[in-house]
């Protein structure tokens, strides 16, 4: 082995060029193993580094998602609070103009049946609410209380088929009875064919019946049909308030 090593060293010394013979032989023999070993170590290292990096990124993504969801919920809460304050401000302004004593109530439920148009409010007899009291908003008549409980009350909407409100046209002062159609509209009945009624006319409460004070907006005329035969016109009204989006209402106390 020593003689062989000495011979290799002697041959290596005698090489004049830059690449020595021993280095060349060693490189040829060992380079495949070195490349394989280096690539393997690099792959394992990259996999480990990327794995832990992705785990950290995944954890950060989860935290960011939670933070984004929290901010969205906070934003929605603030928007709802702001919208509620705006609605209450309108009701309170309307309440200040109203001579009667009123109670602000929130709608907390609706009748589940299609043929009954009833909502439930969070005020009852302990708040002064009684049966047959008018319920309104700043946009007009909503309905009347049909059952007052201790803490909650049921309100029959004017679009219910059982509802009837004495009304009159704001311009012509012709009177009639506003009855519900069981959908989202009302009819103005007993209006003579000779009455001058057109689309867009406002209908107000006449004050008859003792429930709804005079002058409240009931609805607006959306369709008028004059029949050649018969005494009365067929008049359809759209309620002044959007009854499908009720959230806060005013109850007119006695």
């Amino acid at each position: 082995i020593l003689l062989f090593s000495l011979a290799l060293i002697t041959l290596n010394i005698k090489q004049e060029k830059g690449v020595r013979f021993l280095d060349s032989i060693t490189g040829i023999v060992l380079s495949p193993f070195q490349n394989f070993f280096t690539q393997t170590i690099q792959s394992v290292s990259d996999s480990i580094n990327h794995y832990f990096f992705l785990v950290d990124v995944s954890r950060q993504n989860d935290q960011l998602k939670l933070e984004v969801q929290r901010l969205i919920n906070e934003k929605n809460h603030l928007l709802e609070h702001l919208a509620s304050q705006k609605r209450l401000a309108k009701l309170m302004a309307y309440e200040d103009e109203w001579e009667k004593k009123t109670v602000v109530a929130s709608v907390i439920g609706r009748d589940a049946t299609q043929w009954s148009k009833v909502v439930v409010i969070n005020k009852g007899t302990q708040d002064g609410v009684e049966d047959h009291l008018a319920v309104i908003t700043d946009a007009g008549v909503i309905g009347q209380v049909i059952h007052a409980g201790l803490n909650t009350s049921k309100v029959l909407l004017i679009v219910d088929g059982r509802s009837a409100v004495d009304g009159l046209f704001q311009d012509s002062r012709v009177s009639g009875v506003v009855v519900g159609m069981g959908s989202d509209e009302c009819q103005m009945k007993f209006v003579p064919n000779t009455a001058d009624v057109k689309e867009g006319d406002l209908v107000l409460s006449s004050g008859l019946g003792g429930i709804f004070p005079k002058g409240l907006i009931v609805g607006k005329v959306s369709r008028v049909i004059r029949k050649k035969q018969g005494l009365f016109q067929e008049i359809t009204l759209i309620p002044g308030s959007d009854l499908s989006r009720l959230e806060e209402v005013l109850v007119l106390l006695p």
Side-chain angles (χ1 to χ4, degrees):
I1 294 174
L2 292 175
L3 292 175
F4 180 71
S5 300
L6 182 60
L8 289 178
I9 293 173
T10 303
L11 290 174
N12 193 33
I13 292 174
K14 291 182 177 181
Q15 297 292 326
E16 297 178 356
K17 296 186 178 180
V19 179
R20 298 176 184 271
F21 178 73
L22 180 60
D23 293 339
S24 177
I25 294 298
T26 305
I28 293 173
V29 175
L30 297 180
S31 61
F33 299 98
Q34 289 177 335
N35 290 334
F36 175 77
F37 181 76
T38 303
Q39 291 177 358
T40 302
I41 295 298
Q42 186 65 37
S43 299
V44 173
S45 176
D46 291 344
S47 299
I48 293 176
N49 289 335
H50 281 86
Y51 172 76
F52 286 108
F53 178 74
L54 290 176
V55 169
D56 188 56
V57 169
S58 178
R59 189 182 301 111
Q60 291 179 359
N61 285 338
D62 292 339
Q63 293 176 353
L64 289 175
K65 287 179 181 179
L66 291 176
E67 182 67 15
V68 169
Q69 189 61 44
R70 185 188 68 80
L71 292 175
I72 290 176
N73 293 334
E74 184 177 351
K75 174 187 174 184
N76 291 335
H77 177 73
L78 292 175
L79 289 176
E80 284 297 315
H81 182 70
L82 180 62
S84 177
Q85 290 298 318
K86 288 182 178 179
R87 293 192 301 269
L88 288 175
K90 289 182 180 180
L91 286 179
M92 298 305 292
Y94 191 74
E95 182 183 25
D96 293 338
E97 297 177 358
W98 196 251
E99 296 179 356
K100 287 182 168 244
K101 186 179 179 182
T102 60
V103 169
V104 178
S106 297
V107 176
I108 59 174
R110 291 181 179 272
D111 200 305
T113 59
Q114 294 293 331
W115 54 85
S116 178
K117 301 297 181 179
V118 176
V119 297
V120 181
I121 59 176
N122 64 343
K123 300 295 182 181
T125 54
Q126 67 175 6
D127 304 294
V129 178
E130 303 174 0
D131 292 350
H132 309 299
L133 294 183
V135 182
I136 64 174
T137 67
D138 60 308
V141 173
I142 295 300
Q144 61 175 301
V145 178
I146 56 173
H147 175 71
L150 182 62
N151 299 314
T152 61
S153 301
K154 289 186 175 182
V155 178
L156 183 71
L157 302 179
I158 59 174
V159 293
D160 192 287
R162 298 167 292 175
S163 174
V165 180
D166 285 290
L168 55 83
F169 292 99
Q170 187 179 44
D171 295 333
S172 64
R173 315 306 290 181
V174 176
S175 61
V177 179
V178 179
V179 297
M181 298 176 62
S183 58
D184 296 329
E185 297 178 325
C186 302
Q187 283 185 336
M188 183 79 163
K189 291 190 173 183
F190 310 118
V191 178
N193 271 330
T194 56
D196 183 17
V197 180
K198 59 184 180 298
E199 293 184 8
D201 287 349
L202 281 179
V203 177
L204 309 178
S205 57
S206 66
L208 301 178
I211 296 179
F212 299 98
K214 186 175 182 178
L216 298 176
I217 297 176
V218 178
K220 182 184 295 185
V221 176
S222 61
R223 186 170 61 253
V224 179
I225 299 177
R226 290 183 177 86
K227 294 185 176 180
K228 295 181 179 180
Q229 296 180 351
L231 300 176
F232 306 112
Q233 305 180 44
E234 289 187 4
I235 301 174
T236 304
L237 304 180
I238 297 177
S241 297
D242 189 352
L243 303 182
S244 64
R245 299 182 179 180
L246 290 178
E247 295 187 62
E248 292 88 18
V249 298
L250 285 177
V251 182
L252 303 184
L253 299 181

